[in-house]
Amino acid sequence: MRLTLGKQDYIRAAIVAGKINRKAIAEEGMEQEKIKFFTLMTEYHRHEKDAFELAKDYHSIYSTSSVQADENQWRDALQSS
């Protein structure tokens, strides 16, 4: 995903993003992967100018338990959206 966005291949990034199981990254112990995935998705949705999906990405980052525990991280997540 990171490589396709780095090459600015947004069509393939959408294909790869669709193959990632959202329930699997929502499990406990996968917080860092979830944050990384949705951070990459924010880059994709910014390019596509999809404000609703962008807000959902930031909400997913914000709702992660590790972000909720750290005040600086949740402030950043809220200010970014």
Side-chain angles (χ1 to χ4, degrees):
M1 176 106 190
R2 183 179 53 84
L3 294 173
T4 57
L5 289 173
K7 291 175 61 177
Q8 297 180 350
D9 189 357
Y10 295 104
I11 295 171
R12 285 205 170 105
I15 293 169
V16 171
K19 293 180 184 283
I20 295 175
N21 188 350
R22 308 291 166 104
K23 289 182 182 178
I25 62 173
E27 292 178 358
E28 192 172 325
M30 298 284 286
E31 286 90 8
Q32 293 303 318
E33 288 80 7
K34 179 180 177 180
I35 293 169
K36 182 67 175 173
F37 172 73
F38 283 109
T39 303
L40 291 171
M41 289 305 294
T42 59
E43 182 181 338
Y44 171 74
H45 289 126
R46 255 191 227 108
H47 176 265
E48 295 294 317
K49 296 180 176 85
D50 191 352
F52 182 69
E53 291 296 324
L54 188 60
K56 285 176 28 180
D57 295 338
Y58 282 120
H59 182 265
S60 296
I61 293 170
Y62 174 73
S63 65
T64 305
S65 60
S66 63
V67 172
Q68 289 285 327
D70 185 15
E71 183 176 341
N72 290 330
Q73 285 185 341
W74 66 258
R75 284 185 190 268
D76 290 341
L78 288 177
Q79 288 176 350
S80 297
S81 58

